[in-house]
Amino acid sequence: MKELPTGNGARLIKAGLDPVRVPFDQIPVIDLEAMFSGDAEAKAALAESLRKACTEVGFLYIKNHHFPKHVLEAAFAEAERYFAQSDEDKMQAHVSKSTNLRGYAAMLEENTDPTARGDLHESFDIALEVPADDPDVLAGKVLYGPNQWPENRPAFRHALETYHAEMIKLSHHLLHAFALALGLEETYFDAMVTKPLATLRVLHYPPQFGEIDERQIGIGAHSDYECFTILAQQVGIPALQVLNAAGEWIAADPMEDCFVVNVGDQMARWTNDLFASTVHRAINRSGKERYSIPFFFGPNYDTIVEVLPSCVDEAHPAKYPPISSGDYVNGRFTATFASYASQQQDAPAV
């Protein structure tokens, strides 16, 4: 086992290409303060903790993340108001009216687990706002484009746009921490996230009572597609479960003033599975309506995601061929959303 420098070499972290997946029974908590203070030694300690969490678990909580609390509260409040509308009102901004999967999706329209019968939640999605006349949109890069918004709900739009903008800021800090955890320069990924595929979802899960069919739960077992996900949950309403190395489902209950972060598929591909893209699901048995806000952060559409040189050697050849970020995510969306898949089949060749 070798050692990798972090930052300016202030501390050495244990490295190696054989991850140790553990039958964890709780999710580690990472203090992100060092990424805002600029202290090199503190960043190195953070990198060591983050690397351990990503190689052993793939899930973690972050605290001291500097995300504005009023922005978080406004997004949850507007989500509750939005989903309380009639189905007819919500369907006015249905995703089928968008070419890039923006807008409202109803119960059971998403099926993250192909062996299941549909997910018991409804959602509203936005992503990076890209004008319809942008060269990337005109070139047919289907995940770029304008957001779709419901009519006469300016507060909802403002809350989500503000939340998205603040999440972009937080994601850059977190990506710097990931770079350090991989023994890279802090800014290694910066040029790859100048126009990120960054999706914000607001979700509503009704409670499930009595005997539950595992094939139809809040969201079926899956991994996420991007580099990482930053999830906001409401304290006191548990639902998220994470699969550990022993095949057991471990609760990732909401913690006050913390986000849940999990490694996504593209980070796993970059690291040759050194960092774990961990399977998870949600079952709302709280007896209450549940609202959550995941933010999925990935690189620019044309970024080629290929195994990092530091994550391969003779004993650990690359497991994955290079693929563009856009092609990877688009393929996963096509497999998950029936209406989106139909749109892509009907679209003319570019």
Side-chain angles (χ1 to χ4, degrees):
M1 178 176 289
K2 61 182 179 179
E3 293 186 322
L4 294 176
T6 63
N8 295 319
R11 179 179 298 201
L12 295 176
I13 62 175
K14 290 182 179 179
L17 301 184
D18 291 307
V20 180
R21 308 285 188 245
V22 298
F24 58 88
D25 57 9
Q26 59 185 3
I27 311 298
V29 180
I30 303 296
D31 189 336
L32 207 62
E33 182 62 43
M35 301 313 299
F36 299 91
S37 69
D39 179 83
E41 186 171 355
K43 284 183 179 181
L46 165 59
E48 185 175 0
S49 298
L50 181 59
R51 185 182 179 93
K52 179 178 173 64
C54 290
T55 54
E56 294 185 356
V57 179
F59 264 74
L60 52 130
Y61 295 96
I62 55 171
K63 65 180 182 178
N64 293 326
H65 43 68
H66 290 223
F67 192 87
K69 191 168 186 177
H70 70 277
V71 173
L72 180 69
E73 292 172 345
F76 271 119
E78 288 301 323
E80 290 190 36
R81 295 186 188 103
Y82 175 79
F83 289 120
Q85 296 180 104
S86 68
D87 290 342
E88 181 180 4
D89 286 340
K90 287 179 287 191
M91 290 295 288
Q92 290 177 4
H94 189 259
V95 290
S96 61
K97 300 177 182 179
S98 166
T99 59
N100 51 356
L101 210 64
R102 315 283 176 87
Y104 173 75
M107 296 282 179
L108 304 180
E109 285 196 77
E110 182 179 2
N111 193 30
T112 50
D113 179 353
T115 68
R117 300 167 52 202
D119 297 332
L120 279 173
H121 67 250
E122 54 183 339
S123 62
F124 193 95
D125 285 31
I126 70 167
L128 190 71
E129 181 72 36
V130 181
D133 61 355
D134 182 273
D136 284 330
V137 179
L138 296 176
K141 297 173 186 177
V142 293
L143 298 177
Y144 284 138
N147 290 313
Q148 178 182 202
W149 295 102
E151 296 180 2
N152 303 317
R153 300 197 75 85
F156 178 76
R157 177 172 182 169
H158 176 73
L160 267 59
E161 286 183 329
T162 304
Y163 192 102
H164 190 279
E166 291 293 338
M167 268 291 154
I168 290 287
K169 297 177 187 177
L170 174 56
S171 294
H172 283 289
H173 287 291
L174 187 57
L175 191 60
H176 285 178
F178 270 93
L180 294 177
L182 288 165
L184 303 169
E185 290 295 325
E186 184 173 334
T187 57
Y188 180 87
F189 295 109
D190 282 7
M192 307 177 199
V193 291
T194 55
K195 197 175 185 179
L197 295 177
T199 299
L200 170 65
R201 309 193 81 192
V202 288
L203 289 155
H204 168 226
Y205 295 84
Q208 291 184 258
F209 299 96
E211 187 174 347
I212 294 175
D213 182 349
E214 286 194 23
R215 297 173 300 162
Q216 195 163 77
I217 58 177
I219 189 166
H222 68 287
S223 60
D224 292 341
Y225 314 152
E226 295 80 4
C227 292
F228 53 75
T229 304
I230 305 175
L231 174 69
Q233 304 184 90
Q234 294 172 302
V235 174
I237 306 179
L240 181 61
Q241 301 175 1
V242 180
L243 192 65
N244 74 5
E248 303 164 325
W249 289 103
I250 305 301
D253 292 345
M255 290 181 62
E256 191 74 43
D257 297 325
C258 288
F259 289 112
V260 175
V261 172
N262 62 275
V263 174
D265 294 347
Q266 292 186 65
M267 184 62 73
R269 293 175 76 99
W270 256 328
T271 63
N272 214 25
D273 284 338
L274 179 65
F275 285 9
S277 181
T278 304
V279 172
H280 51 287
R281 67 184 185 182
I283 308 173
N284 182 14
R285 306 186 70 172
S286 68
K288 304 174 184 178
E289 305 296 319
R290 179 186 186 243
Y291 302 88
S292 69
I293 309 175
F295 182 79
F296 308 95
F297 188 76
N300 303 347
Y301 195 104
D302 290 330
T303 295
I304 300 301
V305 179
E306 58 185 324
V307 177
L308 295 165
S310 60
C311 294
V312 291
D313 60 22
E314 289 186 3
H316 302 86
K319 297 179 181 180
Y320 304 104
I323 188 173
S324 76
S325 174
D327 286 345
Y328 181 78
V329 176
N330 191 48
R332 294 296 302 271
F333 278 162
T334 300
T336 302
F337 296 92
S339 61
Y340 183 72
S342 177
Q343 282 182 342
Q344 300 315 300
Q345 289 172 356
D346 295 340
V350 176

